[in-house]
Amino acid sequence: MPKLKVMIASSEAIPFIKTGGLADVAGSLPIYLKKFNVEAFVVIPKYRDIDFKDCYLENVLPTMCVRMGSGEEWCSVFKTVYKGVDFYFIEHHNFFSREGLYHDNAFNDYQDNAWRFGFFSMAALQLCRDLKLDVDVVHVNDWQTAAIPAYIKTWHWSNELGRAASLLTIHNANYQGIYNSATTYDYLGLGWNNYSPDTFEDHGNINLLKGGIFFSDVVTTVSPTYAREIASPYGGHGMAPYLQNKTTSFFGILNGIDEDVWNPVKDKFLSANFSAEHMAGKKICKRELQKSFLLEQDENVALIGAIGRFVDQKGYHFIASIIDYLMNNMNMQFVILGTGDKGLESFFGDLPKRYPGRVGSYIGYNNELSHLIEAGADMFVMPSLFEPCGLNQMYSLKYGTIPIVHATGGLEDTVENYNEQTGEGTGFKFYDATSSALYNTIGWAISVYYDHPDRFKTMQLRGMKIDNSWEKSAKEYIKAYELAISNKRNYDDMCRL
């Protein structure tokens, strides 16, 4: 069987630039695809904030002309290799040499985002043509690259790129790339014949994600439960009917975790490593975590951690509303690392002053501390209103840190609720998105921690043995690529009739 060739087009990818889980998928998946005879490469923008100090960066196309709907853009293409995978970077100073990826530091969206990522989408295809990178499947991600399937079927149908199948992965259906069509549509060159309620038109605006859903040969999302949620009438942020139209060509594939990076056995950020067979290192990590956050040194107290972006979706306002009750009524410590909403940053940043020795906070992002929280905490809380997949609950399982989660999306798929009768389970779930439900579930988890320590330890060990690796997910993506190729072949046959 000939080697499958896949281009992954993404607006971000680890280890170069990251704002969310999209970067983890784009950077990790191709590494594991290689293990199954799939030749994958990644294309992302060359942002100003990418640090290439540890990479050899080659300028493979000093000048590249990208034809858009209302003119030409000129850019450069650079390349580096990371873990055996080729990464290409599109350099366009006007579009990408600015602060942030999608918005400025005040979280104001850039008004030319449709232009920026429409250009990037076409540039990714032009790169394939100019470098003669023959691909079988183009794997696009979210609204930023959702125009690519349309470009393949409208602009490139008569050349070598026209045979490529397309797969669109939706990482968060809440973000759809909705912009003013009057100022952007001609530039994008998607064709006014494709500006309809079934394709790119959305109440007089352009909706890039919706058009991508229509033109893609297969659409996936990042967990089976999230797929069901966004295809339901009330869970798809308006996308449900268009996803339903994809029938069996829309489904969820659970994200994996990179066990070369997130693994307590070999985690380079920990002062002591550990495994399910040898757990002593976890106690050392707990002491180190308490020391780092200026908490009282007590290996027996229940310590709960949280990491994430302070945005409405993540549910940190629930934690803020109950933290005083938790501190006053429960014997526990709490640490949180995150950034985002300025009000929540101020609130969580002030908590250590109010509860010295019991609460610690770090406002911002710190990769080393993230690993230490996952390793040193006893429990990890994720109260997300919705969660397409989530990664921290899987990191927590791997590190023997019991997840406390809202039963939604990927959290529902990856955490088995504790059973009081049998002691089975890997975590604690709450089903109502309310502060009281979160409070009661944290209390439930803490009671098991103190009153049933043997059961708690059994849950830890059970979670550490679960296979949430990318190898498992990569196999599912290969099946999805094969389906996309089959669907594209059927589409081409219909076009010839």
Side-chain angles (χ1 to χ4, degrees):
M1 181 178 177
K3 180 178 288 189
L4 194 65
K5 297 180 181 179
V6 178
M7 175 177 74
I8 298 176
S10 174
S11 59
E12 54 187 85
I14 60 168
F16 302 102
I17 197 82
K18 173 180 176 176
T19 67
L22 163 59
D24 295 280
V25 175
S28 298
L29 176 59
I31 297 170
Y32 289 85
L33 288 172
K34 285 173 61 68
K35 299 181 180 182
F36 300 103
N37 200 39
V38 175
E39 182 181 327
F41 63 92
V42 182
V43 185
I44 67 171
K46 188 173 181 286
Y47 298 106
R48 183 191 70 181
D49 294 338
I50 296 179
D51 185 354
F52 292 104
K53 68 179 180 180
D54 296 326
C55 302
Y56 170 71
L57 199 62
E58 179 185 3
N59 190 343
V60 293
L61 286 173
T63 57
M64 183 174 76
C65 180
V66 180
R67 292 172 177 82
M68 301 303 297
S70 57
E72 297 177 346
E73 300 280 358
W74 291 86
C75 63
S76 298
V77 180
F78 293 79
K79 172 187 170 184
T80 193
V81 180
Y82 173 71
K83 291 190 176 181
V85 174
D86 291 340
F87 283 76
Y88 294 90
F89 303 87
I90 306 294
E91 181 179 76
H92 187 295
H93 290 296
N94 186 44
F95 284 155
F96 303 122
S97 293
R98 58 178 78 171
E99 64 180 12
L101 277 63
Y102 318 119
H103 45 66
D104 60 27
N105 284 340
F107 287 87
N108 297 311
D109 277 7
Y110 288 119
Q111 295 304 301
D112 62 345
N113 272 347
W115 290 56
R116 298 171 70 219
F117 291 103
F119 155 76
F120 171 69
S121 296
M122 187 66 89
L125 295 174
Q126 189 64 43
L127 176 158
C128 291
R129 296 195 67 186
D130 288 6
L131 294 178
K132 296 180 171 40
L133 301 174
D134 193 25
V135 296
D136 300 300
V137 179
V138 178
H139 184 168
V140 306
N141 296 272
D142 278 347
W143 67 265
Q144 291 92 339
T145 50
I148 289 179
Y151 285 142
I152 290 174
K153 288 180 176 175
T154 57
W155 278 63
H156 294 284
W157 64 272
S158 61
N159 60 47
E160 65 277 8
L161 273 173
R163 75 172 186 85
S166 59
L167 181 147
L168 165 64
T169 296
I170 300 172
H171 300 263
N172 191 331
N174 192 37
Y175 302 103
Q176 299 175 8
I178 300 174
Y179 295 97
N180 187 306
S181 58
T183 58
T184 61
Y185 203 75
D186 282 333
Y187 173 79
L188 295 176
L190 291 164
W192 286 101
N193 56 311
N194 294 320
Y195 187 72
S196 70
D198 287 331
T199 54
F200 286 103
E201 191 273 335
D202 188 347
H203 298 89
N205 293 311
I206 179 175
N207 185 318
L208 290 167
L209 182 64
K210 187 168 77 161
I213 291 170
F214 179 86
F215 282 100
S216 294
D217 297 302
V218 167
V219 179
T220 65
T221 190
V222 289
S223 72
T225 293
Y226 189 62
R228 292 191 292 271
E229 288 173 350
I230 64 175
S232 66
Y234 303 105
H237 308 281
M239 292 297 99
Y242 311 104
L243 293 169
Q244 291 168 3
N245 287 341
K246 304 303 286 190
T247 61
T248 57
S249 293
F250 169 63
F251 46 87
I253 298 175
L254 193 68
N255 282 346
I257 61 173
D258 188 344
E259 294 187 349
D260 288 332
V261 176
W262 291 95
N263 189 336
V265 174
K266 54 184 175 181
D267 192 324
K268 65 181 181 179
F269 294 112
L270 305 184
S271 56
N273 295 112
F274 59 94
S275 66
E277 292 74 28
H278 304 282
M279 290 287 284
K282 186 168 178 65
K283 292 183 178 180
I284 296 173
C285 290
K286 183 173 182 177
R287 289 199 299 268
E288 186 70 22
L289 178 60
Q290 290 172 328
K291 179 180 177 181
S292 297
F293 281 86
L294 303 179
L295 304 181
E296 295 174 2
Q297 297 285 291
D298 183 349
E299 69 175 35
N300 296 315
V301 69
L303 174 51
I304 298 178
I307 303 170
R309 292 177 292 123
F310 298 158
V311 295
D312 289 344
Q313 172 202 338
K314 298 298 183 179
Y316 289 106
H317 56 286
F318 290 142
I319 297 177
S321 69
I322 64 172
I323 193 68
D324 291 323
Y325 297 101
L326 290 172
M327 290 296 107
N328 292 328
N329 298 322
M330 298 185 193
N331 181 22
M332 61 170 285
Q333 294 176 340
F334 177 68
V335 296
I336 187 167
L337 181 154
T339 185
D341 178 87
K342 298 304 177 184
L344 287 175
E345 284 187 355
S346 177
F347 178 85
F348 287 119
D350 287 341
L351 279 179
K353 298 176 185 177
R354 294 170 52 197
Y355 299 102
R358 298 186 63 203
V359 176
S361 65
Y362 182 97
I363 304 305
Y365 181 73
N366 184 302
N367 190 40
E368 184 173 352
L369 281 180
S370 296
H371 283 251
L372 182 57
I373 291 172
E374 288 290 7
D378 299 301
M379 290 160 275
F380 191 94
V381 62
M382 295 180 69
S384 306
L385 294 176
F386 65 94
E387 191 63 69
C389 178
L391 293 172
N392 280 102
Q393 83 279 11
M394 290 190 277
Y395 300 154
S396 297
L397 290 168
K398 191 69 180 177
Y399 284 73
T401 301
I402 303 297
I404 302 169
V405 302
H406 179 213
T408 184
L411 303 178
E412 168 71 2
D413 290 328
T414 53
V415 178
E416 180 187 353
N417 205 17
Y418 173 67
N419 186 310
E420 291 274 6
Q421 282 70 45
T422 65
E424 295 177 347
T426 58
F428 299 89
K429 296 182 184 180
F430 61 98
Y431 293 84
D432 295 329
T434 63
S435 299
S436 60
L438 174 60
Y439 177 83
N440 290 333
T441 305
I442 290 175
W444 180 29
I446 288 177
S447 73
V448 174
Y449 175 86
Y450 287 119
D451 300 335
H452 302 283
D454 291 342
R455 283 190 168 191
F456 192 91
K457 184 176 181 180
T458 300
M459 291 174 68
Q460 289 179 300
L461 301 181
R462 186 182 295 123
M464 294 176 77
K465 295 175 182 177
I466 293 174
D467 180 10
N468 283 318
S469 70
W470 265 114
E471 285 194 16
K472 183 178 178 182
S473 303
K475 293 177 183 178
E476 295 301 312
Y477 271 108
I478 292 171
K479 293 178 184 178
Y481 295 151
E482 292 170 346
L483 176 61
I485 291 170
S486 175
N487 287 349
K488 180 61 163 55
R489 189 178 297 119
N490 293 336
Y491 173 88
D492 290 342
D493 290 343
M494 290 179 59
C495 290
R496 294 188 188 99
L497 294 178

